[in-house]
């Protein structure tokens, strides 16, 4: 990564986002953690600073245009530039059949998962253009490529992230800005466990049975670790990925192969 560079990671307080913050710091970037969970951001800050890099948490709702504008303005004022942006903030949305999804739940899911990355990119890209350099990684999902019954808002949002990634990459490539999407499969951790619990409640099935079904869908028969995703994000922000842009790359233990 570029020396004295700055990365913004949304949703960096826990899980995949926390692992990404630590990985980018290990590679040499100062990290701004943009999240709503101020308590858990403190833990991420401590982990990043153990690498010797600077970390600044900032409370941000990516679904709010005002919050996003203020966050990016603060980062540029404080650090001088933004070389790397990882749009990781996301929510699972409701677990329900389409006819039982409320409009409010639909809009909230898309506000965070799709509107959020759009707003962050809209504010960051002009600064990257000014420096003739930028690397943007959007965390999508294999659910943006295949059906996931009873999760229509989530699936729609993640498919939208992939389309947004490809189009933005075409728009900004001439400014030496790469835009890629990472599509994790089922990542082990509290969030996926809550999803399994809701599915168990919805269907009346056993939690372990649902988890086992998901694991068996992958060629390796297992869930993904958050560090697997962070490793790929780090690579896409490195000098080794100079001509990789507009791609949606799976980290799914073989759950999806297209």
């Amino acid at each position: 990564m570029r020396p004295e560079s700055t990365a913004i990671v949304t949703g960096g307080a826990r899980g995949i986002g926390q692992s990404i913050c630590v990985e980018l710091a290990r590679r040499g970037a100062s990290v701004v953690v943009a999240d709503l969970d101020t308590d858990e951001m403190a833990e991420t800050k401590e982990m990043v600073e153990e690498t010797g890099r600077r970390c600044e948490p900032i409370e941000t709702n990516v679904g709010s245009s005002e919050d996003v504008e203020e966050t990016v303005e603060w980062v540029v004022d404080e650090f001088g530039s933004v070389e790397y942006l990882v749009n990781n903030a996301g929510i699972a949305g409701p677990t329900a059949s389409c006819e039982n999804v409320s409009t409010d739940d639909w809009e909230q899911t898309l506000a965070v998962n799709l509107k959020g990355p759009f707003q962050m990119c809209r504010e960051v890209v002009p600064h990257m253009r000014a420096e003739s350099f930028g690397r943007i990684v959007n965390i999508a999902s294999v659910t943006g490529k295949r059906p996931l019954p009873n999760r229509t808002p989530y699936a729609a949002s993640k498919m939208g992230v992939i389309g947004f990634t490809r189009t933005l990459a075409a728009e900004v490539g001439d400014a030496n800005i790469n835009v890629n999407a990472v599509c994790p499969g089922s990542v082990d951790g509290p969030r996926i466990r809550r999803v399994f619990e809701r599915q168990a409640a919805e269907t009346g099935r056993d939690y372990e049975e649902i988890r086992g079904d998901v694991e068996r869908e992958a060629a390796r028969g297992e869930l993904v670790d958050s560090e697997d995703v962070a490793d790929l994000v780090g690579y896409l922000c490195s000098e080794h990925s100079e001509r990789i842009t507009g791609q949606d790359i799976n980290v799914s233990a073989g759950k999806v192969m297209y």
Side-chain angles (χ1 to χ4, degrees), residues 6-243:
T6 305
I8 300 175
V9 180
T10 69
R14 71 196 68 80
I16 293 173
Q18 187 176 78
S19 296
I20 291 169
C21 289
V22 174
E23 177 63 23
L24 296 184
R26 285 175 179 156
R27 290 175 177 264
S30 296
V31 178
V32 176
V33 187
D35 206 311
L36 286 172
D37 193 326
T38 53
D39 291 337
E40 294 203 42
M41 278 196 287
E43 180 182 5
T44 302
K45 176 179 172 65
E46 182 178 341
M47 294 171 68
V48 168
E49 290 179 344
E50 286 176 356
T51 71
R53 304 304 303 176
R54 182 180 175 187
C55 182
E56 296 292 343
I58 182 166
E59 188 173 353
T60 307
N61 175 6
V62 298
S64 163
S65 59
E66 183 178 355
D67 264 25
V68 168
E69 289 170 11
E70 290 178 354
T71 292
V72 174
E73 182 179 359
W74 181 86
V75 173
V76 173
D77 286 347
E78 184 70 16
F79 290 89
S81 61
V82 181
E83 286 78 16
Y84 306 97
L85 169 64
V86 182
N87 286 305
N88 171 71
I91 59 174
T95 299
S97 57
C98 180
E99 64 269 27
N100 292 314
V101 173
S102 70
T103 300
D104 286 347
D105 281 347
W106 174 275
E107 291 180 346
Q108 181 188 24
T109 306
L110 268 70
V112 177
N113 293 359
L114 184 55
K115 181 183 173 185
F118 154 68
Q119 293 190 144
M120 290 297 303
C121 289
R122 181 182 62 192
E123 299 305 317
V124 165
V125 161
H127 299 287
M128 292 181 169
R129 282 191 183 276
E131 298 294 326
S132 296
F133 179 86
R135 299 292 179 262
I136 298 171
V137 182
N138 298 319
I139 305 301
S141 170
V142 295
T143 301
K145 300 184 176 187
R146 52 168 282 173
L148 184 58
N150 297 318
R151 301 286 300 285
T152 50
Y154 183 79
S157 69
K158 293 304 185 178
M159 183 170 282
V161 168
I162 292 173
F164 173 66
T165 297
R166 293 173 179 173
T167 303
L168 184 60
E171 289 184 6
V172 301
D174 61 352
N176 191 26
I177 303 171
N178 290 355
V179 187
N180 291 288
V182 173
C183 300
S186 299
V187 178
D188 202 2
R191 190 166 112 172
I192 193 65
R193 292 168 198 157
R194 288 194 294 270
V195 170
F196 292 157
E197 288 167 0
R198 287 198 296 268
Q199 289 176 335
E202 178 84 10
T203 63
R205 298 174 65 205
D206 181 73
Y207 170 93
E208 292 299 335
E209 182 183 3
I210 291 173
R211 181 184 176 109
D213 285 348
V214 172
E215 290 174 338
R216 284 187 290 273
E217 287 180 336
R220 290 180 58 92
E222 58 188 347
L223 303 182
V224 174
D225 290 331
S226 62
E227 289 79 6
D228 300 330
V229 181
D231 286 343
L232 179 55
V233 172
Y235 174 78
L236 291 173
C237 290
S238 76
E239 66 276 14
H240 303 296
S241 62
E242 188 71 22
R243 289 167 188 83

